[in-house]
Amino acid sequence: MFIGAIVTSSLFSSALVLSLNANAQTPQSVKPNELRRYAKAMLTMEPQRQQAFDEIKKIIGSGEVPKIICNDNSSFSNLPSKAKDIAVNYCQRYQKVVEDNGFTIDRFNTITTQVQSNEDLKRQIYNILLRLQKNPESR
């Protein structure tokens, strides 16, 4: 159940995202070791993403949390300063986790785009997330 929530919220409806800049080049295929590292990054950051989202939601109140794209400063412009600080802190931590898992931001975003549009990759990520959650010491 938790993994399904991670996959759904992280890949499809996140209000806090790294940039998904369009890449005009043909995307490089995703290697199996990249999928595992990608899943590890997602598993690490999902609780932090949810916490940041919840904190921002409390600050904003009844309003809707705008989509926040980490490397698009204009996506932060309508946030109150405390919410902006939370979003910036989250984005900095996310970038570090992505890099600690051996990715550039561009490559991570390319994989995200491919996973969102490829059912086979979604299934593979889901299965990797299940294995990682069942066996946390293998992270």
Side-chain angles (χ1 to χ4, degrees):
M1 181 75 127
F2 176 70
I3 294 299
I6 287 176
V7 172
T8 302
S9 63
S10 293
L11 297 180
F12 307 112
S13 62
S14 178
L16 294 167
V17 295
L18 294 176
S19 174
L20 293 176
N21 294 333
N23 188 347
Q25 301 172 341
T26 303
Q28 174 184 359
S29 64
V30 182
K31 298 175 182 104
N33 71 334
E34 287 182 310
L35 282 178
R36 189 173 195 299
R37 290 183 291 127
Y38 180 88
K40 285 174 60 174
M42 286 177 48
L43 201 55
T44 300
M45 286 310 298
E46 180 56 18
Q48 294 181 50
R49 185 198 66 79
Q50 287 193 359
Q51 180 182 0
F53 179 84
D54 290 345
E55 290 176 19
I56 291 170
K57 182 75 175 155
K58 285 179 189 172
I59 293 167
I60 291 176
S62 62
E64 188 173 321
V65 176
K67 187 168 192 166
I68 300 165
I69 301 171
C70 288
N71 67 349
D72 179 4
N73 289 337
S74 66
S75 72
F76 294 80
S77 63
N78 293 330
L79 293 174
S81 76
K82 185 169 171 122
K84 191 180 300 185
D85 291 344
I86 292 166
V88 167
N89 186 305
Y90 165 81
C91 290
Q92 290 170 342
R93 289 190 321 262
Y94 206 123
Q95 182 173 350
K96 180 170 180 1
V97 167
V98 165
E99 291 169 350
D100 286 350
N101 279 282
F103 293 107
T104 64
I105 297 301
D106 285 342
R107 182 62 183 152
F108 188 85
N109 289 337
T110 298
I111 293 170
T112 299
T113 301
Q114 290 179 354
V115 168
Q116 289 173 337
S117 63
N118 182 315
E119 291 300 320
D120 185 52
L121 287 177
K122 281 181 202 171
R123 181 186 47 73
Q124 289 178 55
I125 288 289
Y126 181 83
N127 289 333
I128 293 167
L129 287 167
L130 283 174
R131 283 192 301 272
L132 289 172
Q133 190 176 35
K134 286 180 184 176
N135 191 7
E137 58 273 358
S138 69
R139 289 186 199 175

